[in-house]
Amino acid sequence: LCVWWELKALLRLPHTVVSIRKHPDFATTGQWNAVTEAGGKQTSHVFDAVMVCSGNFSEPSLPLQCFPGIERFRGQYFHSRQYKHPDVFQGKRVLVVGMGNSGVDIAVEASRVAAKVMISTTRGAWLLSRVFEHGYPWDMILNTRLMSLIKTNLPGPLSWWLLNYKVNRWFNHANYGLQPENSWLVREPVLNDDLPSYILTGRITIKPGVKEFKDNSVVFHNCPEEEPIDIVVFCTGYTVSFPFLEESVVRVENKHASLYKYVFPPQLQKPTLAVLGLIKPLGAIMPVAEMQARWVSRVFKGLCQLPPQAVMEKEVNEKKKNQIQWFGLTFDEVLKTEWLVYLDTLASFIGAKPSVLGLLCTDPRLALTIFFGPCSPYQYRLEGPGRWQGARQAILTQWDRVLKPTRTRVPAGSSSSFLSLLTVVGLLLLLAAVIFGFL
């Protein structure tokens, strides 16, 4: 109780965490000594458990040594984290280095006021529109149990060919200079509705990687001519860092934190410290962070047990090897994982994973909706701790809430043919999946 009230007092005031160290009797109690600072005054506290929720956007990565000539560039340059407002680009010639979500968003905003905007990318990217098939949000179409089943059970090249086919139905990425170098590898998709039209109208130009900077210009690989520029925005990502922790607590190797299920340091004697949100799932982060918190809280209470240290360390090492083969070597890539599979894994630890096969026998309508429809967080409130009586109804009516804000005018005789077709075909496909042993 004393720890709880002390924590509530901390949350009311802006505190900076200076350090978190193991309590002298950590092997017995699992407690932590925390030093915080507020108003120039440092205070010590003792906590039974710690959740580190600093995420993966706390320390910008700005590898200037990788850009020859940047030291003599006379213009302005900064990391994307410093960007606040597009007015800084008014009438300027702008280069955005990097093609993640931040880079594309900044380039689009800059192009509305700048004289010229270029995006430099060495590997390209798949671009998704937030408005996906039939006008529905992209994640409600792609993040389903059916799609996850396809991605995880079909041969890799075939499953990703299907995904590539889907993303190229919007526009041909090769024609816009966006086609990824290794399109069969999993890359974080970029979500932006404006970029294709801005490329088409000449407001943004896609360029290859930077070869070198000069006084007032840049030279790109395979492009002999110089491009004059005034401002460079480095959208080069972030690096993982825990300056308030001892290195032995969370081991960081090759810019990757060694954590069991991306959450628990496997070598701790007591599982009383967890890292939340240090992951880049191919889907929304909020349901993932919520599920991590549900699992962590039960581990802290002793209601869920972690495997032995050797088992956890073996899995962490194997996952590194697999992801290095599949995703690449960089920090941003290593943290990516299949969204729904990860959610199901954590949910199974706390008894909250829905049983589609069981529901098919007791509640076929709900089973079909769960399998073919979007995997919304309601699914993990059907059973287990934190069960919610309204979860079933929320799942069955989620499409109504999606369409309500947009269907402000309903033509006479209109109906949702897509959802009707989904219902008709759904049972046959689900039964086929059961027969082939996928569930």
Side-chain angles (χ1 to χ4, degrees):
L1 182 62
C2 293
V3 171
W4 167 243
W5 283 108
E6 188 174 21
L7 178 58
K8 288 184 68 177
L10 279 175
L11 294 175
R12 293 194 191 102
L13 300 173
H15 283 72
T16 299
V17 178
V18 177
S19 67
I20 297 176
R21 300 288 185 265
K22 293 179 181 178
H23 196 272
D25 59 356
F26 177 83
T28 303
T29 65
Q31 291 182 325
W32 298 86
N33 290 335
V35 177
T36 61
E37 183 174 320
K41 180 182 178 181
Q42 291 191 353
T43 310
S44 297
H45 317 266
V46 177
F47 291 105
D48 296 321
V50 174
M51 291 187 187
V52 179
C53 307
S54 52
N56 45 21
F57 300 111
S58 56
E59 185 174 326
S61 174
L62 188 55
L64 295 180
Q65 70 279 4
C66 298
F67 299 95
I70 189 64
E71 69 280 353
R72 69 172 183 262
F73 177 61
R74 296 180 181 176
Q76 180 183 3
Y77 65 85
F78 54 87
H79 190 273
S80 57
R81 190 185 186 189
Q82 297 175 264
Y83 171 74
K84 301 299 179 184
H85 198 275
D87 285 351
V88 68
F89 303 128
Q90 187 73 44
K92 303 292 186 179
R93 297 163 296 187
V94 181
L95 170 64
V96 176
V97 178
M99 198 174 173
N101 284 287
S102 296
V104 171
D105 288 345
I106 291 173
V108 166
E109 287 196 1
S111 68
R112 296 168 185 156
V113 297
K116 182 178 183 179
V117 175
M118 297 176 289
I119 297 178
S120 169
T121 174
T122 58
R123 64 182 187 182
W126 291 123
L127 195 68
L128 292 181
S129 171
R130 291 177 175 85
V131 182
F132 210 62
E133 294 177 354
H134 303 281
Y136 295 114
W138 76 270
D139 55 341
M140 297 192 75
I141 300 297
L142 289 182
N143 281 342
T144 68
R145 294 186 178 276
L146 174 62
M147 289 299 297
S148 180
L149 188 73
I150 292 172
K151 286 186 287 184
T152 55
N153 286 280
L154 285 182
L158 179 58
S159 63
W160 288 113
W161 178 86
L162 290 174
L163 181 60
N164 296 346
Y165 170 76
K166 274 187 172 292
V167 296
N168 270 320
R169 288 181 65 184
W170 182 22
F171 69 94
N172 189 312
H173 283 60
N175 291 344
Y176 284 68
L178 299 174
Q179 181 85 14
E181 288 290 328
N182 296 311
S183 58
W184 60 273
L185 288 174
V186 182
R187 301 294 188 192
E188 181 182 12
V190 175
L191 292 173
N192 195 279
D193 299 300
D194 299 317
L195 183 61
S197 62
Y198 281 30
I199 295 174
L200 192 63
T201 55
R203 297 174 69 172
I204 295 178
T205 304
I206 305 298
K207 292 288 187 179
V210 172
K211 182 178 181 180
E212 67 172 320
F213 287 98
K214 298 193 174 181
D215 291 353
N216 299 294
S217 62
V218 62
V219 179
F220 299 100
H221 288 289
N222 304 318
C223 296
E225 66 275 6
E226 298 180 19
E227 293 281 358
I229 53 172
D230 303 303
I231 299 178
V232 182
V233 184
F234 287 102
C235 302
T236 45
Y238 294 78
T239 186
V240 61
S241 175
F242 303 100
F244 46 85
L245 291 175
E246 293 178 307
E247 292 184 5
S248 61
V249 174
V250 178
R251 297 170 183 167
V252 179
E253 301 170 346
N254 297 323
K255 300 183 180 180
H256 172 64
S258 298
L259 299 168
Y260 176 66
K261 303 300 182 186
Y262 305 100
V263 175
F264 284 101
Q267 77 283 358
L268 290 182
Q269 297 164 293
K270 297 285 185 178
T272 56
L273 183 139
V275 180
L276 274 64
L278 191 66
I279 185 174
K280 282 193 172 183
L282 299 176
I285 185 64
M286 290 78 73
V288 172
E290 179 196 25
M291 186 60 69
Q292 287 179 333
R294 292 174 67 184
W295 177 42
V296 166
S297 63
R298 294 184 69 78
V299 171
F300 285 172
K301 292 178 180 178
L303 301 176
C304 287
Q305 302 297 319
L306 297 182
Q309 177 180 337
V311 174
M312 292 191 288
E313 290 184 340
K314 181 180 179 182
E315 179 176 318
V316 169
N317 292 331
E318 288 179 350
K319 189 173 288 290
K320 283 183 189 178
K321 293 177 184 177
N322 293 337
Q323 290 190 317
I324 286 173
Q325 282 184 329
W326 185 247
F327 291 117
L329 291 171
T330 64
F331 164 77
D332 285 347
E333 302 299 331
V334 169
L335 282 182
K336 289 175 189 160
T337 189
E338 171 59 34
W339 185 78
L340 199 152
V341 172
Y342 183 71
L343 277 174
D344 274 357
T345 300
L346 299 193
S348 66
F349 292 161
I350 64 173
K353 178 185 175 182
S355 172
V356 179
L357 189 57
L359 287 171
L360 188 61
C361 301
T362 59
D363 195 338
R365 182 187 175 195
L366 181 60
L368 288 175
T369 305
I370 287 177
F371 187 74
F372 291 100
C375 182
S376 51
Y378 306 127
Q379 294 190 13
Y380 301 106
R381 295 291 178 176
L382 288 168
E383 54 187 81
R387 179 181 179 183
W388 177 43
Q389 293 297 327
R392 179 184 185 276
Q393 183 65 15
I395 293 170
L396 296 177
T397 59
Q398 59 191 338
W399 286 108
D400 298 336
R401 290 188 294 282
V402 171
L403 296 175
K404 185 175 179 60
T406 59
R407 300 194 75 181
T408 53
R409 172 186 170 271
V410 182
S414 67
S415 63
S416 177
S417 59
F418 173 69
L419 295 180
S420 300
L421 179 63
L422 189 68
T423 304
V424 172
V425 177
L427 183 58
L428 295 176
L429 292 176
L430 183 57
L431 288 175
V434 174
I435 292 172
F436 283 102
F438 285 146
L439 291 179

